[in-house]
Amino acid sequence: MVSESFCATCLRTVYAGGNESCPVCASPLLKTGVAVAENADPVTVSASIDPSLIPDNESLRLEAVKRYEILDTPRDGAFDRITFLASKIFNVPISTVTIVDSDRIWFKSAQGLEAEQIDRDPGLCASAILVDEPWVVEDAKMDPRTLENPLVLGDLGLRFYAGVPLVTGDGYKLGMLNIIDQQPRELSEDELSILQELSKIVVDELELRLAARRMHKELSAH
């Protein structure tokens, strides 16, 4: 079995063997292949995705993700402005727009993080897309859903998480708009409403791009 550990600095799983440094954050690796960040201990995670994190409509949901052709596209101003506003409005150090792929959580935009993606498990977005309502964790060290999560126990020190699903017109959850803090906090109903409206702007942008691509294809066909 291949040994692996979670890099709390770059939010990646690092596999043993060959590398002298983490391929993302360049932190030096021990002989076991574990990334060593200053004042941080890596946390071992499972290589497999917990079946409880897979929605019943997963195959159709992934088809919807594919339909929008958003994965692995460069970051751009439209989405970066939304995460920038979210960070400022809620006064949090981290805000992200994520897309939940089959085995990873990919960041279309991220304020306060340099990572481009993390493994689907232990990413909180994988749990958040299982429910219809916003997923809020006021204190991750006290919430049973997140007590053992490497993002909480590791160097990132996640304490607060609030995510609203990015829901398509036909009801599929592509990913999340998230705000994250390293301090516990509460979210008022008004604040939650603002986060929900921002998530709708993300979806509107995705829909506009999809419509533009379809129109371009139709015009090109004539």
Side-chain angles (χ1 to χ4, degrees):
M1 180 179 293
V2 177
S3 175
E4 63 175 56
S5 291
F6 185 76
C7 174
T9 298
C10 60
L11 310 184
R12 294 281 184 92
T13 298
V14 181
Y15 294 89
N19 295 324
E20 295 182 356
S21 62
C22 177
V24 179
C25 68
S27 297
L29 299 181
L30 298 175
K31 291 181 180 180
T32 58
V34 177
V36 183
E38 185 178 358
N39 301 322
D41 294 323
V43 182
T44 300
V45 297
S46 172
S48 60
I49 299 174
D50 185 341
S52 67
L53 297 178
I54 306 298
D56 292 337
N57 65 346
E58 179 67 354
S59 60
L60 294 175
R61 191 194 68 81
L62 289 174
E63 283 297 320
V65 169
K66 182 179 179 181
R67 181 173 77 217
Y68 287 87
E69 299 180 18
I70 191 69
L71 286 171
D72 299 313
T73 57
R75 293 186 181 179
D76 61 66
F79 297 99
D80 288 345
R81 280 189 287 272
I82 295 170
T83 53
F84 174 80
L85 285 172
S87 293
K88 295 301 181 183
I89 291 170
F90 299 102
N91 192 28
V92 294
I94 300 171
S95 177
T96 64
V97 169
T98 65
I99 303 296
V100 180
D101 198 4
S102 59
D103 60 353
R104 60 176 174 156
I105 296 172
W106 177 76
F107 300 122
K108 176 58 181 174
S109 177
Q111 299 290 329
L113 287 178
E114 295 184 1
E116 296 179 356
Q117 63 186 32
I118 62 173
D119 292 337
R120 183 162 172 171
D121 185 3
L124 297 184
C125 295
S127 297
I129 64 167
L130 297 175
V131 297
D132 294 328
E133 63 273 7
W135 211 71
V136 180
V137 177
E138 295 182 345
D139 188 346
K141 287 190 175 181
M142 301 295 292
D143 195 307
R145 297 173 295 177
T146 53
L147 281 174
E148 303 299 325
N149 193 286
L151 300 177
V152 178
L153 300 176
D155 193 46
L156 179 65
L158 183 151
R159 293 292 297 275
F160 168 82
Y161 172 94
V164 176
L166 306 176
V167 185
T168 66
D170 48 357
Y172 296 109
K173 302 181 186 75
L174 304 177
M176 305 291 292
L177 171 64
N178 313 291
I179 53 174
I180 296 169
D181 203 344
Q182 292 157 327
Q183 302 294 329
R185 58 183 295 171
E186 297 179 353
L187 200 66
S188 70
E189 288 297 323
D190 285 343
E191 288 175 320
L192 189 56
S193 295
I194 293 171
L195 190 62
Q196 289 173 308
E197 291 304 312
L198 289 174
S199 74
K200 293 175 184 177
I201 296 174
V202 174
V203 175
D204 286 346
E205 182 66 26
L206 292 172
E207 295 288 0
L208 283 171
R209 295 183 182 203
L210 177 60
R213 284 195 301 273
R214 286 175 172 171
M215 182 176 294
H216 177 73
K217 289 179 181 178
E218 290 177 3
L219 292 174
S220 299
H222 294 291

